[in-house]
Amino acid sequence: MTASHSTRMLILGSGPAGLSAAIYGARAGLAPIVVQGLQPGGQLTITTDVENYPGFRDVIQGPWLMQEMQAQAEHVGATMMWDTIVDVDLSERPFRLRGDGGTLYVCDTLVIATGAQAKWLGVEGEAALGGKGVSACATCDGFFYRGKKVAVIGGGNTAVEEALYLTNHSQDVTLIHRRDSLRAEKILQDRLFAHPNVKVLWNKQVDRFVGGSGNEGLVAIALRDTETGETSELAVDGGFVAIGHSPATELFRGHLELDEDGYLVVEKGGTRTSVPGVFGAGDVSDKVYRQAVTAAGMGCMAALDVERFLAEADFEARATVAA
């Protein structure tokens, strides 16, 4: 027989948003089930040093932090399921979702915390030097490059914002763009071009990230001119890929309102989506901040929104029976 699980609160995703929602939901007596997804623990499980999560004086490791969050969620009553959802029916409550092994999940409320993945260039050295000079988050890792030479790859708002952010730590920031003009908003471009510590390399694409000997990490970025084909190398200590993110929302296309970039649309200042009883938390609905601490905060918000939604629904059900 096909396995099935029923819960008042189902959470998809086990990063900071999903696990924070689980902790708050469990403490409210909702006995949440967390479907962990393809990457249990989220993006922090592939992050090494974490220095900006509140409450820890010393640098901590991303995988350790997520293990502790999961243990805390389980300790207060959340259930973890190693599964991936492949089909959803949000047409009526209770909602019905099915895992890739056929397991059926029936829930009164659904919290979507499936996150977003950074887009990568897919060039040689990128994966091998991840965390060793190559990053996709200046806000997360820029602090480690104080006084060093860094480069940002991209031409949109994210790339320009990251380049400007890195000037807080570096006196030598280079923006690398494969075209001869930026896609970023004009006000951001004006700020970038006016900054004395930023220079732009136009019509350059990244061929590969160059590592040093032994454990030295990134030492240079190999470039190719998109017009002439001429090759060159830019010596850097850090390279930040800033070509956008892909939210994990394909499963919900046609079921929930998404914006033009595929992010879940939630109410301003809250987590409610276009379907009552469905809530979005973390990077899946946040294209601006994308930090572990903001994701955790949104997970808390989602759980509180779930609790209020269920309280209202229960009250209306009792009133209907009494009538």
Side-chain angles (χ1 to χ4, degrees), residues 160-180:
V160 173
E161 288 170 347
E162 297 225 328
L164 289 169
Y165 173 82
L166 285 167
T167 61
N168 295 317
H169 305 294
S170 171
Q171 302 296 309
D172 192 339
V173 179
T174 302
L175 181 69
I176 301 169
H177 188 42
R178 60 183 178 175
R179 298 189 176 91
D180 60 2

Side-chain angles (χ1 to χ4, degrees), residues 2-3 12 21 34 50 54 70-71 76 89 116 125 139 148 178 195 202 208 256 294 304 307-308 311 313-315:
T2 301
L12 305 187
V34 179
V50 176
Q70 178 175 328
V76 293
D89 181 359
T139 308
K148 297 183 178 181
R178 60 183 178 175
H195 203 292
W202 301 106
R208 63 190 176 96
L256 295 167
T294 53
L304 296 178
E307 187 179 1
R308 291 166 184 152
D314 291 346
F315 177 79

Side-chain angles (χ1 to χ4, degrees), residues 7-10 93-97 105-110:
T7 179
R8 302 217 74 191
M9 180 184 187
L10 183 68
R93 293 180 57 243
F95 306 124
R96 299 169 68 86
L97 298 87
Y105 298 88
V106 181
C107 58
D108 292 325
T109 59
L110 174 66

Side-chain angles (χ1 to χ4, degrees), residues 173-241:
V173 179
T174 302
L175 181 69
I176 301 169
H177 188 42
R178 60 183 178 175
R179 298 189 176 91
D180 60 2
S181 62
L182 301 175
R183 303 186 312 277
E185 297 172 3
K186 186 177 184 303
I187 188 170
L188 289 174
Q189 294 191 43
D190 290 344
R191 288 174 56 198
L192 182 84
F193 298 145
H195 203 292
N197 296 335
V198 180
K199 63 176 176 291
V200 181
L201 290 182
W202 301 106
N203 300 313
K204 297 289 189 295
Q205 71 177 32
V206 175
D207 271 358
R208 63 190 176 96
F209 291 97
V210 182
S213 59
N215 295 319
E216 189 176 357
L218 181 72
V219 296
I221 300 175
L223 303 171
R224 181 179 299 275
D225 192 290
T226 58
E227 293 186 336
T228 67
E230 180 184 357
T231 60
S232 60
E233 280 195 2
L234 176 69
V236 293
D237 301 294
F240 294 84
V241 179

